[in-house]
């Protein structure tokens, strides 16, 4: 593992380190699951993960998880788990910061490869 | 699983539902890991988990994770992962609210059984 968790991790401090959108950074590891943070603005892409649930927790702004049958709107302090296999398209207001919890194996945009896709091995520990 | 995650989950709303201390409630499940919340005040008990890392994230107040060689002090928006096998004793200011992320198999106070211990099957979904 690239980073040993010797110290506490501050979300505020970690979010201050980058400004790109839809580009997950890893901040912690727990039982093989990774805690990632990202900033969002506009829309990512419709995709799903066959084998992994994906937890989203909003820190700032507003993240909408568009599902095929409804929208899940998340404000700060709210979370939602997208179950494995469920198609979703994240959409965010300007200034949105959020946290994800997912296995190391989870592909960023599922099987979809777009200009926005960031491969797992390109997602850095910060 | 007792609860299906059909809707978003608000930490604020979930914390408003209970007042007891060191008594974890389950609010979400993701890849076999449980998201739990608890309120703390005073000290729990020294314990460790042989096989599970345990993530703590503070929502309100201040949580100190006493380790044998140092203290990890967590304020709102800060997190720490206690690695498997590492002895720890959580200690909290009055009004502290925190979130945990751990496998369903994690025993509340490790092998220690105290008056404060809440068995896994007594930890409710809320």
């Amino acid at each position: 593992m690239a980073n040993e968790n010797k110290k506490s991790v501050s979300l505020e401090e970690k979010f201050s380190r980058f400004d790109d959108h839809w580009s997950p950074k890893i901040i912690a590891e727990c039982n093989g699951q990774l805690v990632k943070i990202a900033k969002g603005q506009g829309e990512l892409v419709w995709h799903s993960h066959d084998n992994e649930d994906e937890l989203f927790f909003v820190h700032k702004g507003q993240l909408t998880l568009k599902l095929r049958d409804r929208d899940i709107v998340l404000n700060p302090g709210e979370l939602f788990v997208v179950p494995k296999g469920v198609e979703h398209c994240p959409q965010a207001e300007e200034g949105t910061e959020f946290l994800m919890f997912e296995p190391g194996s989870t592909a960023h945009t599922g099987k979809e490869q777009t200009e926005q896709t960031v491969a797992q091995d390109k997602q850095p520990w910060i």
Side-chain angles (χ1 to χ4, degrees), chain A:
Chain A
M1 193 52 61
N3 243 15
E4 285 289 333
N5 299 323
K6 302 272 187 199
K7 296 193 300 183
S8 66
V9 172
S10 158
L11 288 191
E12 205 64 53
E13 192 272 325
K14 295 293 188 191
F15 276 115
S16 75
R17 296 199 193 186
F18 64 97
D19 281 312
D20 48 348
H21 296 136
W22 307 120
S23 183
K25 322 293 182 196
I26 304 166
I27 62 166
E29 189 271 340
C30 185
N31 298 303
Q33 312 279 309
L34 299 176
V35 182
K36 300 178 180 182
I37 58 173
K39 296 185 178 184
Q41 188 173 314
E43 233 175 64
L44 187 54
V45 63
W46 281 99
H47 67 282
S48 62
H49 310 284
D50 286 348
N51 301 308
E52 299 103 353
D53 305 326
E54 194 171 25
L55 184 151
F56 293 87
F57 174 74
V58 172
H59 181 242
K60 283 188 185 165
Q62 187 179 78
L63 179 71
T64 299
L65 297 168
K66 295 166 70 182
L67 308 180
R68 289 300 185 189
D69 61 346
R70 66 198 192 282
D71 290 351
I72 304 288
V73 180
L74 298 178
N75 292 299
E78 296 180 347
L79 65 89
F80 185 76
V81 180
V82 178
K84 60 190 76 166
V86 171
E87 283 188 293
H88 55 287
C89 178
Q91 190 180 54
E93 280 185 357
E94 190 176 344
T96 296
E97 300 180 349
F98 61 99
L99 185 149
M100 284 163 293
F101 208 94
E102 57 188 26
S105 58
T106 306
H108 184 216
T109 52
K111 290 175 195 151
E112 306 302 319
Q113 290 293 317
T114 76
E115 288 180 2
Q116 294 173 296
T117 301
V118 184
Q120 272 292 341
D121 59 0
K122 295 287 193 301
Q123 296 180 17
W125 274 83
I126 63 169

